[in-house]
Amino acid sequence: MSLKEQVVASFENTFGHQPDGVWSAPGRANLIGEHTDYNLGFVLPFGINFRTYVAVAKRADRKCRVASTIDSKIYEFDLDGEMPKNLDWALYPLGVAWVMRENADFGFDAFFDSNVPIGAGLSSSAAIECSIALALNEIWNTNHTKQELALIGQKAENQVVGAPTGMMDQTASMLAQSDGAVLLDCKKLETKVIDLGLTKNNLVIAVIDTKVAHRHSDGGYRSRRDSCELGAKTLGVESLRELSLSDLPRAQSQLDDLTYRRVKHIITENQRVLDSVSALRDGNLESLGRLLLESHSSMRDDFEISVPELDLAVETAMEVGAIGSRMTGGGFGGAAIALIAESKLGELEIACKKAFEANSYAEPNIFAVVPSEGARKDS
Ligand code: ADP
Ligand code: MG
């Protein structure tokens, strides 16, 4: 049974009636541009071939009820009630409903099933938010664009879940396209799909999931945001996006060492995203690979969001002959990606497992991801 058929069956078992439709949204991997989104810079993520499906039916009353294969509970809130609180994972979808509720005349039942790895830095959270946001946009007739729905997902994650994330994940999950990455200008809110051309070069993007669990809401993510804000304020700009490489000497003289290194990562990372787009347009994948590696070093040494497992994943991928590799996602765990010949995937898997075992790390999970389309209605 496909995941789409399974989610319908689970919906019927749980709620005792049929859904009105099924929607889905992918997880994402970020090719390059880390922590640049909330600094209003550039990011270049793509949707992956792992999706969250949601079956939804309208209700006659104003209750919003959600269930998932993740546990066997039904969580609910009332459209006329208070903001949902203490509802575990259900805060993600009910948070979206809360943000979108203004013109809602009726509630809904929703059941989620997903093959997006949870907590691996592949944004299972955006997949759940975007699948329900697209569904509610249709049943509530709210006529939002996909970009607006992405911002609604971000708002739910920031205000209801309480994770201070940027807009990248939801934008990627909403607007992704097959074989392409989404260049997002987080200030202008403009997106452009950039052709990746992986297949014609016999390349794949491998994910090395270290199984080190990350927690966005933890202090590390917040403190990076705080450093970026302090840097921007001290340098007299609204956001770090306003700065370029030529501002680095001034930044170094005006900031304390820690803040400078945080700021330096953001400034150089924005440039690396733009350079990556040029490299892709020129078909220069070697140069893209170099940028991925430089991005990883910057996150390891200046932004300090990597962990030894991620560094080892990147080193091992390069030893096996990857064109480039870097940790992806918010950091402090999760996954690395490697741009590598399809024929070397097996070797990569063996080498990573061996290297992790030699260091007494948990066994990593290695798999290729295919750049895939964004949120859609499936039936
Ligand atoms: P990531 O987005 O990197 O996977 P997060 O910590 O941001 O990690 O989001 C993971 C959380 O999202 C889970 O702990 C859970 O609360 C929620 N979630 C994701 N997918 C599902 C799902 N299919 N069903 C229920 N909750 C989910
Ligand atoms: Mg997330």
Side-chain angles (χ1 to χ4, degrees), residues 7-8 11 15 19-23 53-57 109-113:
V7 81
V8 170
F11 181 100
F15 297 114
D20 297 329
V22 176
W23 290 259
Y53 286 81
V54 61
V56 181
D109 290 335
F111 194 99
F112 295 90
D113 202 344

Side-chain angles (χ1 to χ4, degrees), residues 123 125-126 157 169 216:
S123 212
S125 58
E157 190 149 345
D169 298 356
H216 266 174

Side-chain angles (χ1 to χ4, degrees), residues 277-289:
V277 171
S278 305
L280 281 166
R281 286 192 173 139
D282 297 344
N284 187 346
L285 294 169
E286 296 295 326
S287 146
L288 174 67

Side-chain angles (χ1 to χ4, degrees), residues 11-12 17 62 78 86 121 125 139 141 162 207 288 318 363-364:
F11 181 100
E12 290 171 359
H17 56 99
R62 293 175 62 78
D78 192 285
N86 305 323
S125 58
I139 69 164
N141 244 323
V207 168
L288 174 67
M318 295 313 292
E363 185 173 86

Side-chain angles (χ1 to χ4, degrees), residues 42 47 175 178 182 224 294 314 340 372:
F42 303 97
L175 294 166
S178 309
V182 184
R224 297 311 180 279
E294 282 169 22
V314 169
I340 191 165
S372 299

Side-chain angles (χ1 to χ4, degrees), residues 3-4 46 70 112 135 147-148 151 177 187 200 238-239 243 252 258 265 281 291 293 326 355 359 366 377:
L3 206 48
K4 188 180 106 187
F46 58 94
I70 207 174
F112 295 90
Q147 182 68 68
E148 287 165 355
L151 293 176
Q177 288 190 20
K187 181 179 178 189
K200 65 172 185 260
E238 208 153 292
S239 71
L243 304 174
Q252 188 163 25
L258 185 87
H265 166 71
R281 286 192 173 139
L291 291 160
L293 258 189
R326 61 186 282 279
N359 281 273
I366 293 102
K377 184 172 192 189

